[in-house]
Short mmCIF file of all heavy atoms in Angstrom, two decimals:
data_model
loop_
_atom_site.label_atom_id
_atom_site.label_comp_id
_atom_site.label_asym_id
_atom_site.label_seq_id
_atom_site.Cartn_x
_atom_site.Cartn_y
_atom_site.Cartn_z
N ALA A 224 -30.61 19.74 17.84
CA ALA A 224 -30.18 19.92 16.46
C ALA A 224 -28.66 19.89 16.37
O ALA A 224 -28.09 19.56 15.34
CB ALA A 224 -30.71 21.24 15.92
N SER A 225 -27.98 20.26 17.45
CA SER A 225 -26.52 20.26 17.45
C SER A 225 -26.00 19.01 18.14
O SER A 225 -25.70 19.01 19.33
CB SER A 225 -25.97 21.51 18.14
OG SER A 225 -26.48 21.60 19.45
N THR A 226 -25.95 17.91 17.42
CA THR A 226 -25.46 16.65 17.97
C THR A 226 -23.96 16.76 18.23
O THR A 226 -23.23 17.30 17.41
CB THR A 226 -25.70 15.51 16.96
OG1 THR A 226 -27.10 15.44 16.69
CG2 THR A 226 -25.22 14.17 17.51
N PRO A 227 -23.48 16.27 19.40
CA PRO A 227 -22.04 16.29 19.64
C PRO A 227 -21.27 15.65 18.49
O PRO A 227 -21.67 14.60 17.98
CB PRO A 227 -21.91 15.45 20.93
CG PRO A 227 -23.22 15.61 21.61
CD PRO A 227 -24.24 15.70 20.52
N GLU A 228 -20.18 16.30 18.09
CA GLU A 228 -19.44 15.82 16.94
C GLU A 228 -18.94 14.40 17.16
O GLU A 228 -18.83 13.62 16.22
CB GLU A 228 -18.26 16.76 16.64
CG GLU A 228 -17.55 16.44 15.34
CD GLU A 228 -16.58 17.53 14.91
OE1 GLU A 228 -16.51 18.57 15.59
OE2 GLU A 228 -15.89 17.34 13.90
N PHE A 229 -18.65 14.05 18.40
CA PHE A 229 -18.18 12.70 18.70
C PHE A 229 -19.19 11.67 18.23
O PHE A 229 -18.82 10.61 17.72
CB PHE A 229 -17.92 12.55 20.20
CG PHE A 229 -17.24 11.26 20.58
CD1 PHE A 229 -15.86 11.20 20.66
CD2 PHE A 229 -17.97 10.12 20.86
CE1 PHE A 229 -15.22 10.01 21.01
CE2 PHE A 229 -17.35 8.93 21.20
CZ PHE A 229 -15.96 8.88 21.28
N LEU A 230 -20.49 11.97 18.41
CA LEU A 230 -21.51 11.01 18.00
C LEU A 230 -21.68 10.97 16.49
O LEU A 230 -22.01 9.93 15.92
CB LEU A 230 -22.85 11.35 18.66
CG LEU A 230 -22.92 11.22 20.18
CD1 LEU A 230 -24.33 11.48 20.67
CD2 LEU A 230 -22.44 9.85 20.63
N SER A 231 -21.43 12.08 15.82
CA SER A 231 -21.56 12.09 14.36
C SER A 231 -20.40 11.37 13.69
O SER A 231 -20.55 10.80 12.61
CB SER A 231 -21.65 13.53 13.84
OG SER A 231 -20.44 14.22 14.03
N THR A 232 -19.24 11.37 14.33
CA THR A 232 -18.07 10.69 13.75
C THR A 232 -17.89 9.29 14.31
O THR A 232 -17.05 8.54 13.82
CB THR A 232 -16.78 11.50 14.00
OG1 THR A 232 -16.63 11.72 15.41
CG2 THR A 232 -16.83 12.83 13.30
N HIS A 233 -18.65 8.95 15.35
CA HIS A 233 -18.58 7.62 15.93
C HIS A 233 -20.00 7.03 15.93
O HIS A 233 -20.72 7.12 16.92
CB HIS A 233 -18.04 7.68 17.36
CG HIS A 233 -16.64 8.14 17.47
ND1 HIS A 233 -16.27 9.44 17.21
CD2 HIS A 233 -15.50 7.48 17.79
CE1 HIS A 233 -14.96 9.56 17.39
NE2 HIS A 233 -14.47 8.39 17.74
N PRO A 234 -20.41 6.46 14.81
CA PRO A 234 -21.80 6.02 14.67
C PRO A 234 -22.18 4.98 15.71
O PRO A 234 -21.37 4.16 16.12
CB PRO A 234 -21.83 5.44 13.25
CG PRO A 234 -20.40 5.11 12.93
CD PRO A 234 -19.60 6.14 13.63
N ASN A 235 -23.44 5.02 16.11
CA ASN A 235 -23.95 4.10 17.11
C ASN A 235 -24.05 2.69 16.54
O ASN A 235 -24.80 2.46 15.59
CB ASN A 235 -25.34 4.57 17.57
CG ASN A 235 -25.80 3.86 18.82
OD1 ASN A 235 -25.38 2.73 19.09
ND2 ASN A 235 -26.68 4.49 19.57
N PRO A 236 -23.31 1.73 17.09
CA PRO A 236 -23.36 0.36 16.56
C PRO A 236 -24.53 -0.45 17.10
O PRO A 236 -24.43 -1.65 17.29
CB PRO A 236 -22.02 -0.21 17.02
CG PRO A 236 -21.74 0.48 18.30
CD PRO A 236 -22.31 1.87 18.16
N GLY A 237 -25.62 0.21 17.39
CA GLY A 237 -26.77 -0.49 17.94
C GLY A 237 -27.06 0.01 19.34
O GLY A 237 -26.99 1.20 19.60
N SER A 238 -27.38 -0.89 20.25
CA SER A 238 -27.67 -0.52 21.63
C SER A 238 -26.36 -0.33 22.38
O SER A 238 -25.96 -1.16 23.20
CB SER A 238 -28.54 -1.59 22.29
OG SER A 238 -29.74 -1.76 21.57
N ARG A 239 -25.70 0.78 22.10
CA ARG A 239 -24.34 1.03 22.59
C ARG A 239 -24.28 1.04 24.11
O ARG A 239 -23.41 0.40 24.71
CB ARG A 239 -23.86 2.32 21.96
CG ARG A 239 -22.86 3.12 22.68
CD ARG A 239 -22.35 4.25 21.79
NE ARG A 239 -21.09 3.88 21.19
CZ ARG A 239 -20.58 4.44 20.08
NH1 ARG A 239 -21.23 5.37 19.44
NH2 ARG A 239 -19.43 4.05 19.62
N VAL A 240 -25.17 1.79 24.76
CA VAL A 240 -25.14 1.88 26.22
C VAL A 240 -25.38 0.51 26.83
O VAL A 240 -24.66 0.08 27.75
CB VAL A 240 -26.19 2.90 26.71
CG1 VAL A 240 -26.33 2.82 28.23
CG2 VAL A 240 -25.80 4.31 26.28
N GLU A 241 -26.38 -0.18 26.34
CA GLU A 241 -26.70 -1.51 26.87
C GLU A 241 -25.52 -2.47 26.71
O GLU A 241 -25.21 -3.25 27.62
CB GLU A 241 -27.93 -2.07 26.16
CG GLU A 241 -28.37 -3.43 26.67
CD GLU A 241 -29.58 -3.98 25.92
OE1 GLU A 241 -30.21 -3.20 25.17
OE2 GLU A 241 -29.89 -5.16 26.10
N ALA A 242 -24.85 -2.41 25.55
CA ALA A 242 -23.72 -3.30 25.30
C ALA A 242 -22.57 -3.01 26.26
O ALA A 242 -21.92 -3.93 26.78
CB ALA A 242 -23.25 -3.16 23.85
N ILE A 243 -22.29 -1.72 26.49
CA ILE A 243 -21.21 -1.35 27.41
C ILE A 243 -21.54 -1.82 28.82
O ILE A 243 -20.70 -2.40 29.52
CB ILE A 243 -21.00 0.18 27.39
CG1 ILE A 243 -20.39 0.61 26.05
CG2 ILE A 243 -20.09 0.62 28.54
CD1 ILE A 243 -20.33 2.12 25.86
N GLN A 244 -22.77 -1.59 29.25
CA GLN A 244 -23.16 -1.97 30.60
C GLN A 244 -23.19 -3.49 30.78
O GLN A 244 -22.83 -4.00 31.84
CB GLN A 244 -24.51 -1.36 30.94
CG GLN A 244 -24.45 0.17 31.07
CD GLN A 244 -25.80 0.80 31.33
OE1 GLN A 244 -26.84 0.23 31.01
NE2 GLN A 244 -25.79 2.00 31.90
N THR A 245 -23.59 -4.20 29.73
CA THR A 245 -23.59 -5.66 29.79
C THR A 245 -22.17 -6.19 29.93
O THR A 245 -21.90 -7.09 30.75
CB THR A 245 -24.25 -6.25 28.53
OG1 THR A 245 -25.61 -5.84 28.47
CG2 THR A 245 -24.18 -7.77 28.55
N LYS A 246 -21.26 -5.62 29.15
CA LYS A 246 -19.85 -6.02 29.23
C LYS A 246 -19.30 -5.73 30.62
O LYS A 246 -18.58 -6.55 31.21
CB LYS A 246 -19.05 -5.27 28.17
CG LYS A 246 -17.56 -5.60 28.15
CD LYS A 246 -17.29 -6.89 27.44
CE LYS A 246 -15.81 -7.10 27.22
NZ LYS A 246 -15.52 -8.39 26.54
N ALA A 247 -19.64 -4.56 31.16
CA ALA A 247 -19.16 -4.18 32.50
C ALA A 247 -19.73 -5.10 33.57
O ALA A 247 -19.04 -5.44 34.54
CB ALA A 247 -19.53 -2.73 32.78
N THR A 248 -20.98 -5.50 33.41
CA THR A 248 -21.59 -6.42 34.36
C THR A 248 -20.90 -7.77 34.31
O THR A 248 -20.64 -8.40 35.36
CB THR A 248 -23.09 -6.59 34.06
OG1 THR A 248 -23.74 -5.32 34.21
CG2 THR A 248 -23.73 -7.58 35.01
N GLN A 249 -20.57 -8.23 33.12
CA GLN A 249 -19.86 -9.50 32.98
C GLN A 249 -18.51 -9.46 33.69
O GLN A 249 -18.07 -10.46 34.27
CB GLN A 249 -19.65 -9.82 31.49
CG GLN A 249 -20.91 -10.15 30.73
CD GLN A 249 -20.70 -10.25 29.23
OE1 GLN A 249 -19.63 -9.91 28.71
NE2 GLN A 249 -21.72 -10.71 28.51
N LEU A 250 -17.85 -8.32 33.65
CA LEU A 250 -16.54 -8.18 34.29
C LEU A 250 -16.65 -7.77 35.75
O LEU A 250 -15.63 -7.63 36.43
CB LEU A 250 -15.69 -7.15 33.52
CG LEU A 250 -15.34 -7.52 32.08
CD1 LEU A 250 -14.56 -6.39 31.41
CD2 LEU A 250 -14.53 -8.82 32.03
N ASN A 251 -17.89 -7.53 36.21
CA ASN A 251 -18.15 -7.18 37.61
C ASN A 251 -17.38 -5.93 38.04
O ASN A 251 -16.72 -5.91 39.09
CB ASN A 251 -17.80 -8.35 38.53
CG ASN A 251 -18.37 -8.17 39.94
OD1 ASN A 251 -19.39 -7.52 40.12
ND2 ASN A 251 -17.68 -8.72 40.93
N CYS A 252 -17.47 -4.89 37.22
CA CYS A 252 -16.69 -3.69 37.52
C CYS A 252 -17.50 -2.41 37.33
O CYS A 252 -16.95 -1.33 37.12
CB CYS A 252 -15.43 -3.64 36.66
SG CYS A 252 -15.72 -3.77 34.88
N ARG A 253 -18.83 -2.51 37.47
CA ARG A 253 -19.68 -1.35 37.24
C ARG A 253 -19.82 -0.46 38.47
O ARG A 253 -20.12 0.73 38.34
CB ARG A 253 -21.09 -1.78 36.81
CG ARG A 253 -21.21 -2.24 35.39
CD ARG A 253 -22.67 -2.47 35.02
NE ARG A 253 -23.46 -1.23 35.04
CZ ARG A 253 -24.77 -1.19 34.81
NH1 ARG A 253 -25.42 -2.30 34.54
NH2 ARG A 253 -25.41 -0.03 34.84
#
Side-chain angles (χ1 to χ4, degrees):
S225 57
T226 302
E228 188 168 356
F229 189 92
L230 294 185
S231 67
T232 56
H233 295 70
N235 193 334
S238 302
R239 152 171 261 159
V240 170
E241 182 181 348
I243 291 172
Q244 292 177 337
T245 298
K246 180 79 171 179
T248 298
Q249 291 171 352
L250 296 177
N251 194 29
C252 54
R253 284 187 65 183

